[in-house]
């Protein structure tokens, strides 16, 4: 039978280690500049607007087609 080791550490020590490691990792992150952030936000907003228009046109088109097909029933 395999022997298991019992590494019991208090929960508080585990949380403190987690936050220390998180802080260390956050220092390694390369954050975007304000210009990059604004540029990327603008691109996302434009993409959302285009997707909204496309989905709206498809919705109206399929609604019209469904009404056309079910009108005679």
């Amino acid at each position: 039978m395999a022997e298991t080791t019992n590494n019991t550490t208090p929960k508080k020590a585990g949380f403190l280690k987690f936050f220390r490691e998180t802080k260390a990792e956050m220092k390694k992150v390369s954050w975007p500049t304000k210009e990059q952030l604004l540029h990327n936000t603008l691109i996302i907003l434009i993409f959302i607007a285009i997707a909204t228009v496309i989905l709206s046109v498809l919705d109206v088109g399929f609604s019209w087609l469904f009404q056309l097909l079910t009108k005679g029933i």
Side-chain angles (χ1 to χ4, degrees):
M1 194 176 230
E3 185 177 318
T4 60
T5 59
N6 190 3
N7 294 338
T8 57
T9 59
K11 287 186 178 183
K12 189 174 183 179
F15 282 123
L16 291 175
K17 181 181 176 188
F18 170 77
F19 286 116
R20 270 194 309 264
E21 291 176 357
T22 300
K23 184 178 178 182
E25 288 296 322
M26 292 301 285
K27 288 182 181 179
K28 296 177 186 177
V29 174
S30 69
W31 297 99
T33 64
K34 185 176 180 178
E35 291 79 22
Q36 289 172 330
L37 184 64
L38 291 174
H39 180 261
N40 291 343
T41 302
L42 183 63
I43 289 173
I44 290 171
L45 291 175
I46 290 171
F47 176 78
I48 290 171
I50 291 170
T52 300
V53 169
I54 290 170
L55 291 175
S56 296
V57 168
L58 286 173
D59 183 46
V60 169
F62 283 123
S63 176
W64 175 79
L65 182 63
F66 182 74
Q67 287 179 357
L68 184 68
L69 292 173
T70 58
K71 194 174 191 177
I73 294 177

